[in-house]
Amino acid sequence: MKNIESRSANIFQIPLGKGLTIASPESVILEFGDKGTLDVGALCYLTRDAKFNRQRRHLAKPVDLSSYCSVRSEYVGRFILHISDSVSSGLISIPTAYYQLQQGFMSYVNWCDSNKIYDSFYTEISSRSAFAKYNQYVSDRMARGEISSLTAGHTVRPLLKVLNSFLGIDNLHHGVNLVRKNINDNNPTLPAGEADQAKSLSLFKAIFDGFRDLVINNRDYPYAIRLPKYMGFDNDSLWVFPLKKWFRHPSAYSGNLDLAKKFIAYNFREGRIAHLDEMSEAASIPVSKNLIRAAKININSANSDANHYHRRDMAVLAHNAFVSMFLANTGMNLAQASELWWAGDYSLGTERQGFRAIKWRAKGRLQSFEIQSTFFQDFKSFLELRKYLLKANEENYLFCRFGISRVGEPKRITGGVLRYFYTILQGIDPDLTTITPRQWRASKADWMLRNNVPVEITATVLQNSEAVVRASYAMGSPVTHMQEMTAFLGRVSEVVLDREQALEHSIEGPVGCCTNLGSPCATEVDAPVVPDCRNPEGCLFCDKYKVHADEKDTRKLLSCHYCIQRTSPLALSVEHFQSVFGGILARIEEILQQIDNRAIDKEMVRRVRHSVDVLGELDSYWAGKLELLIHLDLVAL
């Protein structure tokens, strides 16, 4: 039985300090910023605790100390220096390095060691053999349905990049049937509904504009933020005080006051210090004047200090609101946005009409992003807010995480910051739906594709391949789709009238009734057939068209459907027939469904369909049409 024991280890930040050497690789835990830590030193031991949770930050993995391998230790030392050099030279980012090692390399070495393949990353020759076997192992798991092709790809691809880079080659996969992602396994991100997007964006803007004004223009407390009208607040405003719990939703208190003792001196509804008599009346007992005195001191303290900690808290909220606006406007990945380093100077370019390209150089690299022209003024305002927050330390990440105390070195922003920001917004609007950065990205792609922006341009803006855009971001919003379908079905249902419902001044036609002959108007912008009073098929897409839920009009529609299908041999191909008549046939079926829903006799549509399709009992108009086509030898008997 193996003797698994704990061991001591030292934590080293990636990248390592300049000139730093690793004397004892077996004791090294690498820390990748705020992404996490990886116990790379444990790989120097050929037997490790397989049950140890790899997510335990800063903890050394228990190992069998007797399984220490000096040859492995030498290669681990080289590997650590290689990762550090790759990051410090800018070849890969810290998050990417962490992802590639955690997702690919560590799992690979664990599997190889468990199968007694101990030289899995030493040389090109030994690595080729080991990689081929590991790829086959992952492929077999995928074939058995244990993992998806997406998971398989996310396991092998990062590993391949790490090994190729460490070995100094680019063809380790040659001769290997590399596992590939099946696009059908993809779980695409669905855009948020447009109403949810509008509510979030309007709240982001309100928070950003309001708290930026409070901080940059040193406004006095109590301060009123202007809120979107849809919320229905008094005067569309939310009063803010310099408190940890800085606002109250109107539903959170009775009358004008919060009855909690430490907050009762603040009138959140009217934005002022409460009067002693109203405090006593609200509390139903006498209240001390000291509460009013303490509230005044608190407000005066915040109003006399431009860098008061409550003001800085509000500045951080404005900062996070802008980050959310930025992700929605650019469609950028949070990982990409979080890595943007800002040095101060930038230039403007016009890549497309209505957009501005912000370009700057930082850490020796040219960086850029594209925003709508109307968003540029908000970006300039954000830079002013950012300068206030960072003070003298302006060269830093463009978007930062400031911590609870708002002091110390700012760090790279994370998804947790934005999730917490949404919880604050949901205190203001409890019905607000959280939209993730990936959903904003999908919504940006959805908007561009729906507005006929070419896929190649959409891919360029999102910094993805066209295939990724099609697979991951071209699904469309289910909420928007539902709204569009509801509106569409509403229009179709308006076409169908009850069996006994009279239509004054209507004229009967081949597929139903017309309420105003000679004035055709399309119900849809992209209708398959343009309404034309000389063409009965066009009636189906005209807003003057009506049909009764009775046997007579049902037979007309089914007869039209039957005759169109009989002409299919005249088409050049199935695709040609579908392109010409597919929309008409679909429209007829939609109307028939509505008739079936409204008909008193629920078997009527089925019975008439059998009469027409099987027995050939067509409406007289369409029977004449079919007879003419047969006479001209255009349709066979």
Side-chain angles (χ1 to χ4, degrees):
M1 182 176 177
K2 303 296 182 182
N3 185 23
I4 301 295
E5 305 176 48
S6 60
R7 69 185 224 284
S8 60
N10 299 310
I11 299 172
F12 292 85
Q13 294 277 350
I14 285 293
L16 304 175
K18 193 172 183 180
L20 182 66
T21 58
I22 303 296
S24 302
E26 68 276 7
S27 66
V28 173
I29 293 178
L30 296 180
E31 184 169 32
F32 295 80
D34 53 12
K35 295 300 293 182
T37 57
L38 292 174
D39 188 358
V40 179
L43 300 181
C44 296
Y45 301 88
L46 302 184
T47 304
R48 301 173 293 280
D49 185 358
K51 297 181 180 179
F52 187 81
N53 187 348
R54 65 180 180 181
Q55 299 296 332
R56 293 180 186 174
R57 193 180 179 98
H58 298 155
L59 294 182
K61 191 181 187 77
V63 299
D64 179 1
L65 296 175
S66 66
S67 69
Y68 173 79
C69 177
S70 58
V71 175
R72 171 68 68 82
S73 181
E74 178 187 347
Y75 282 101
V76 168
R78 295 181 191 177
F79 184 78
I80 292 171
L81 294 177
H82 171 75
I83 294 299
S84 175
D85 290 344
S86 297
V87 172
S88 60
S89 64
L91 291 176
I92 57 173
S93 66
I94 290 177
T96 300
Y98 178 79
Y99 162 72
Q100 290 182 353
L101 265 64
Q102 182 207 52
Q103 195 76 14
F105 183 76
M106 300 295 284
S107 298
Y108 165 72
V109 177
N110 287 338
W111 181 85
C112 288
D113 285 354
S114 67
N115 287 275
K116 297 182 170 47
I117 307 173
Y118 298 122
D119 55 354
S120 57
F121 63 100
Y122 294 178
T123 65
E124 179 180 341
I125 294 175
S126 64
S127 298
R128 282 189 185 280
S129 174
F131 176 77
K133 293 176 182 177
Y134 183 69
N135 178 78
Q136 188 60 50
Y137 158 73
V138 174
S139 181
D140 290 344
R141 290 194 67 199
M142 183 179 71
R144 291 193 299 268
E146 296 176 7
I147 57 174
S148 68
S149 67
L150 184 63
T151 300
H154 282 317
T155 301
V156 173
R157 300 286 173 169
L159 167 65
L160 182 60
K161 291 180 180 179
V162 171
L163 292 177
N164 274 336
S165 177
F166 180 59
L167 298 170
I169 58 178
D170 60 5
N171 60 358
L172 188 66
H173 62 291
H174 284 190
V176 175
N177 186 17
L178 203 62
V179 293
R180 300 186 183 279
K181 183 180 79 171
N182 182 344
I183 195 169
N184 294 322
D185 283 347
N186 195 19
N187 186 20
T189 302
L190 297 177
E194 292 179 357
D196 291 334
Q197 292 181 51
K199 289 172 66 175
S200 285
L201 288 171
S202 62
L203 264 181
F204 295 162
K205 180 68 170 168
I207 294 293
F208 175 68
D209 285 345
F211 286 145
R212 181 198 162 277
D213 176 62
L214 171 70
V215 170
I216 299 302
N217 297 320
N218 200 24
R219 305 293 188 189
D220 283 344
Y221 285 101
Y223 179 80
I225 292 182
R226 302 291 294 178
L227 291 178
K229 289 185 179 297
Y230 83 85
M231 297 193 63
F233 279 43
D234 292 344
N235 300 316
D236 298 321
S237 298
L238 180 72
W239 283 100
V240 176
F241 287 88
L243 299 164
K244 183 176 181 180
K245 193 175 178 181
W246 48 269
F247 74 92
R248 294 292 183 281
H249 192 277
S251 63
Y253 50 82
S254 174
N256 293 336
L257 304 181
D258 185 330
L259 296 183
K261 182 177 179 180
K262 59 182 176 180
F263 299 126
I264 198 171
Y266 300 89
N267 187 319
F268 285 93
R269 186 182 295 279
E270 299 176 10
R272 59 176 173 81
I273 298 291
H275 304 307
L276 186 61
D277 55 348
E278 69 177 320
M279 291 166 58
S280 298
E281 182 180 351
S284 300
I285 57 173
V287 177
S288 171
K289 293 182 179 179
N290 291 335
L291 294 175
I292 295 178
R293 186 179 300 112
K296 289 180 176 179
I297 292 173
N298 179 43
I299 291 176
N300 290 336
S301 174
N303 288 340
S304 62
D305 182 2
N307 283 292
H308 191 273
Y309 66 93
H310 276 302
R311 289 184 181 274
R312 291 188 64 79
D313 281 349
M314 300 302 100
V316 170
L317 286 175
H319 169 281
N320 295 342
F322 180 83
V323 176
S324 300
M325 293 163 59
F326 178 88
L327 294 175
N329 192 280
T330 62
M332 188 178 291
N333 273 329
L334 178 60
Q336 294 171 319
S338 67
E339 287 296 315
L340 294 175
W341 188 268
W342 189 259
D345 295 328
Y346 64 91
S347 62
L348 282 177
T350 305
E351 308 296 329
R352 293 189 293 138
Q353 186 175 2
F355 291 81
R356 292 288 180 269
I358 312 296
K359 301 179 181 180
W360 75 100
R361 184 169 292 277
K363 292 189 173 182
R365 291 187 296 157
L366 183 65
Q367 302 188 58
S368 68
F369 55 79
E370 186 181 79
I371 59 176
Q372 294 181 20
S373 301
T374 54
F375 190 59
F376 178 63
Q377 189 57 49
D378 285 332
F379 178 69
K380 289 176 63 178
S381 298
F382 166 74
L383 292 180
E384 192 176 11
L385 177 75
R386 180 179 178 275
K387 187 175 183 179
Y388 166 87
L389 281 167
L390 292 177
K391 297 181 179 179
N393 190 23
E394 189 175 356
E395 183 172 340
N396 209 303
Y397 292 109
L398 179 60
F399 305 124
C400 301
R401 174 167 55 92
F402 296 92
I404 297 175
S405 62
R406 316 305 186 205
V407 297
E409 182 73 18
K411 296 182 179 180
R412 183 177 59 84
I413 196 167
T414 63
V417 171
L418 300 184
R419 287 192 294 273
Y420 179 67
F421 176 62
Y422 250 108
T423 64
I424 295 174
L425 296 186
Q426 286 160 347
I428 301 173
D429 179 6
D431 296 326
L432 189 69
T433 300
T434 300
I435 302 177
T436 66
R438 282 184 61 83
Q439 286 178 295
W440 283 121
R441 184 170 173 82
S443 299
K444 176 78 171 182
D446 179 52
W447 181 89
M448 296 180 76
L449 295 174
R450 289 174 62 192
N451 285 272
N452 299 317
V453 176
V455 175
E456 59 269 22
I457 295 179
T458 303
T460 299
V461 171
L462 298 180
Q463 298 183 24
N464 268 135
S465 67
E466 293 179 30
V468 169
V469 169
R470 290 191 180 96
S472 300
Y473 301 110
M475 289 292 290
S477 164
V479 176
T480 300
H481 176 68
M482 181 179 67
Q483 293 168 344
E484 291 174 348
M485 285 301 297
T486 300
F488 169 73
L489 292 175
R491 292 194 299 270
V492 175
S493 65
E494 290 172 1
V495 170
V496 181
L497 306 175
D498 290 335
R499 184 176 63 178
E500 305 299 335
Q501 186 173 345
L503 276 177
E504 293 185 6
H505 310 300
S506 64
I507 299 173
E508 286 197 33
V511 289
C513 300
C514 178
T515 59
N516 191 1
L517 185 66
S519 302
C521 182
T523 57
E524 303 171 28
V525 176
D526 55 350
V529 179
V530 177
D532 183 343
C533 294
R534 296 167 297 180
N535 179 0
E537 290 86 353
C539 294
L540 299 168
F541 302 93
C542 179
D543 64 357
K544 309 301 188 303
Y545 171 67
K546 300 293 181 182
V547 63
H548 287 89
D550 60 14
E551 184 170 331
K552 181 180 178 181
D553 283 351
T554 300
R555 188 174 299 278
K556 288 180 180 181
L557 287 167
L558 286 167
S559 298
C560 176
H561 192 283
Y562 179 85
C563 288
I564 290 174
Q565 287 185 315
R566 289 292 301 272
T567 62
S568 60
L570 301 177
L572 300 176
S573 64
V574 174
E575 292 75 15
H576 176 244
F577 178 82
Q578 188 63 28
S579 67
V580 175
F581 295 112
I584 298 172
L585 296 177
R587 180 69 162 186
I588 291 173
E589 289 294 346
E590 289 155 359
I591 296 172
L592 287 169
Q593 181 61 55
Q594 292 298 320
I595 290 175
D596 194 37
N597 292 340
R598 300 188 67 161
I600 297 175
D601 180 0
K602 296 303 180 184
E603 292 294 313
M604 186 267 290
V605 173
R606 184 192 63 79
R607 188 171 62 252
V608 175
R609 189 186 293 272
H610 180 269
S611 171
V612 172
D613 291 348
V614 178
L615 304 178
E617 297 173 347
L618 277 61
D619 169 76
S620 58
Y621 174 88
W622 292 103
K625 280 275 189 182
L626 182 61
E627 186 177 346
L628 177 62
L629 292 172
I630 294 172
H631 180 72
L632 295 174
D633 289 332
L634 296 176
V635 173
L637 285 171

